[in-house]
Amino acid sequence: MDLGSGGPGPGYRRGDDMSARLSRLDLARVAVWNLFLQASYDTGRRQALGIAAAMASIRHVWPTSGDRRAFLLRHLEPMNTNPAMAGPLLGAMARLEERAAAGDAEALARVSHMRRVLEGPLAATGDAIFWAGLRPLAGLAGAIAAWQGGALGPIGFAIVYNAIHLTVRLGGVFWGYTKAERIHELMRARWVTLLRFAVRWGIPLAGLCLVVLAASIDAFPRWTVAPAAVAGVFLGSRSVVRGGLLAGGAIMVGLILALVFFKSVP
Amino acid sequence: MSLDAGTWALLLALGLWTALDQSACLQLLVSQPLVASWLAGWIAGDPLCGLAVGVLLQGVWSRALPLGASPLPFLGPASVVGGALAACAPGPRLGLGPVLAVPEAVPLAIALWMSIVVGELGRPLLLRIYRHRGGLIATAMTAAEENQVSRVRVAHLLGLVPTGLLGLGLVVVGLAAGTFLLRMTPTLHADGRWVALPVLGIGVGQACSLSMKRRAWIWGAAALVLGIAVAMT
């Protein structure tokens, strides 16, 4: 993954950099628009409109109308990545646009190159961390908290997930701006490794806790939890049946058992 | 069992928020069942019943991942429907753990089924919306050619409209069909935990299969032994 050295290329003049420098407010605008990244998600251009809408906040780095037009069209190119990981990418692209506007000849080519090279790896990392990692882990932990403390569960779930999600999605714009081409370091960051470890072992442990909690309630059908969990893990790991359909089957079986046994239940 | 106009309005507002939160904007996970069903249950008058449905559905849909452009079930509106129907279901509540409660078996099955149907119905309809945004793209491209940033942004934000309308429509259909079914079903007084506990088990298993793909059998054996040991004692 060659993204260059991270420094400015030939033709880059230090004085020009000062005149076109982006303020924190500009980056904050990019970060806020990043929250609406997928408003117009489309199967063809994916998140292109969202990226263009966010990057438009820094169009003033380009001096002429023609440059700004080219800038907008450049960011309407198809792109698809994890929405949270788009933050660092937007920040890095803003930095490169700033350099390009200041005369760095290579920066412009690097913008498109970085999008192409990093959108996939960032999407894979983001999906693994947020969608397939933090969300189910926080969901199971939230379910345990809800089991014991009611409203604590959903509130804790939302706080834990968003503390990390919003830090990366909003703060990532500022971080990406400082790192520029070196944002790929994010995928090897220590917190990412730690989070992956926590997810790998946290999900099964939280799942076992929930099975134990559910199997210990004072109700006749409590023995059904463990076999159903085993069926869920095996069918899930082989992607045989969708969760909704599997749950639909469990509802039917449970309903039939309830109607058969309901006279013996106090 | 019946919902007044104010409750309908609040549930529709929640349905709209969760529909947009799922992927179109913010993504604060208000659309996840644990939060959306709890809020819907709170609006409909029984937050703990709504929360119980949220706990059940959270695991069930834990493997629904928006990888690439694959559409998810429409979790937000589905969770609102499930939580609200469970909260307004008639009959006594049965304890699911120290805090949570579920309605009787048949009303609970109706609430869960309607939620799953709304979620799965939303999946192809969302994909249809994603495939028919050529007009917005064309508008944005023309605006970019003319260097009109505000028009690019308006075209972008107009994408929220069909997603929001779909969410609202699904909440209306799900709640209307669900309340009708709840009204038509005879009272049987069967224990709702017969329905809840297997669904909870399936959900936990689905969530765990995400991280233990290659060692699923170890986890499965541990869950089986521990779960049955606890249930027997």
Side-chain angles (χ1 to χ4, degrees):
Chain A
M1 193 185 302
D2 179 21
L3 292 169
S5 62
Y12 179 71
R13 298 187 300 277
R14 197 178 174 83
D16 293 342
D17 179 40
M18 299 308 289
S19 63
R21 196 158 189 89
L22 292 172
S23 67
R24 291 184 71 81
L25 187 61
D26 294 326
L27 294 176
R29 285 195 188 110
V30 174
V32 170
W33 274 99
N34 184 27
L35 293 174
F36 297 85
L37 182 72
Q38 302 196 120
S40 58
Y41 189 89
D42 155 77
T43 46
R45 290 196 175 244
R46 312 288 170 104
Q47 298 160 338
L49 255 69
I51 295 285
M55 291 298 285
S57 304
I58 62 149
R59 67 191 180 282
H60 57 270
V61 297
W62 290 100
T64 67
S65 172
D67 288 337
R68 290 179 184 178
R69 178 177 158 277
F71 164 87
L72 272 180
L73 289 170
R74 189 160 55 244
H75 290 289
L76 277 169
E77 287 299 308
M79 183 176 148
N80 196 31
T81 194
N82 180 277
M85 302 300 254
L89 194 54
L90 283 167
M93 289 194 297
R95 180 63 174 272
L96 291 178
E97 287 285 354
E98 183 191 58
R99 275 197 213 146
D104 184 346
E106 285 183 8
L108 206 54
R110 281 190 200 164
V111 175
S112 304
H113 180 60
M114 189 167 66
R115 275 172 70 133
R116 273 199 314 276
V117 171
L118 282 185
E119 64 173 326
L122 283 176
T125 308
D127 288 345
I129 291 175
F130 290 103
W131 284 112
L134 190 57
R135 187 185 58 116
L137 177 61
L140 283 176
I144 292 170
W147 195 273
Q148 299 291 348
L152 274 179
I155 293 170
F157 166 72
I159 289 175
V160 167
Y161 181 84
N162 285 311
I164 300 173
H165 164 244
L166 290 180
T167 302
V168 176
R169 193 159 181 179
L170 298 176
V173 175
F174 298 88
W175 183 85
Y177 177 75
T178 59
K179 290 286 179 181
E181 293 96 327
R182 287 182 288 124
I183 56 163
H184 57 83
E185 290 172 6
L186 178 62
M187 290 177 280
R188 292 197 304 268
R190 188 167 168 74
W191 71 268
V192 172
T193 313
L194 284 173
L195 190 59
R196 282 187 156 168
F197 181 80
V199 162
R200 187 168 184 180
W201 294 102
I203 289 177
L205 284 175
L208 278 180
C209 284
L210 203 51
V211 167
V212 169
L213 281 175
S216 62
I217 68 164
D218 186 21
F220 187 52
R222 60 187 184 172
W223 59 268
T224 59
V225 184
V230 173
V233 79
F234 275 103
L235 293 173
S237 62
R238 281 154 187 75
S239 300
V240 179
V241 192
R242 278 181 183 166
L245 293 177
L246 201 54
I251 293 168
M252 288 309 293
V253 171
L255 194 56
I256 291 165
L257 289 172
L259 294 176
V260 169
F261 286 102
F262 80 93
K263 281 179 183 168
S264 61
V265 175
Chain B
M1 197 193 305
S2 60
L3 300 168
D4 58 39
T7 308
W8 264 101
L10 286 173
L11 286 173
L12 288 178
L14 181 63
L16 178 65
W17 181 18
T18 56
L20 295 178
D21 180 80
Q22 178 166 323
S23 68
C25 62
L26 302 182
Q27 292 180 304
L28 303 178
L29 295 202
V30 178
S31 56
Q32 290 293 302
L34 195 58
V35 183
S37 293
W38 168 58
L39 290 174
W42 185 66
I43 291 169
D46 192 343
L48 292 178
C49 219
L51 183 55
V53 166
V55 167
L56 301 181
L57 292 175
Q58 184 67 37
V60 165
W61 276 318
S62 56
R63 286 187 64 84
L65 307 172
L67 304 179
S70 62
L72 289 173
F74 215 171
L75 300 186
S79 307
V80 170
V81 167
L85 287 177
C88 69
R93 302 296 191 247
L94 297 145
L96 192 69
V99 180
L100 305 178
V102 288
E104 291 173 357
V106 177
L108 179 62
I110 289 173
L112 291 172
W113 259 112
M114 282 314 301
S115 183
I116 291 168
V117 166
V118 165
E120 293 296 333
L121 194 63
R123 188 197 295 260
L125 295 175
L126 268 180
L127 186 60
R128 202 174 163 79
I129 288 176
Y130 293 162
R131 281 182 179 157
H132 290 84
R133 280 189 166 143
L136 290 181
I137 303 291
T139 305
M141 294 300 284
T142 309
E145 291 280 358
E146 294 166 3
N147 204 7
Q148 292 184 335
V149 171
S150 56
R151 273 182 61 205
V152 173
R153 283 179 164 167
V154 167
H156 175 55
L157 292 180
L158 278 175
L160 295 173
V161 176
T163 313
L165 288 177
L166 176 62
L168 282 177
L170 286 173
V171 169
V172 169
V173 170
L175 284 178
T179 47
F180 175 77
L181 285 173
L182 286 177
R183 208 172 290 136
M184 292 294 112
T185 314
T187 308
L188 292 171
H189 298 302
D191 191 337
R193 291 171 296 196
W194 275 105
V195 173
L197 289 174
V199 175
L200 180 70
I202 289 285
V204 171
Q206 289 277 297
C208 290
S209 67
L210 274 170
S211 75
M212 300 295 281
K213 211 156 194 164
R214 289 178 189 162
R215 285 188 286 273
W217 63 272
I218 300 176
W219 189 95
L224 191 62
V225 170
L226 201 58
I228 290 183
V230 171
M232 299 294 281
T233 52

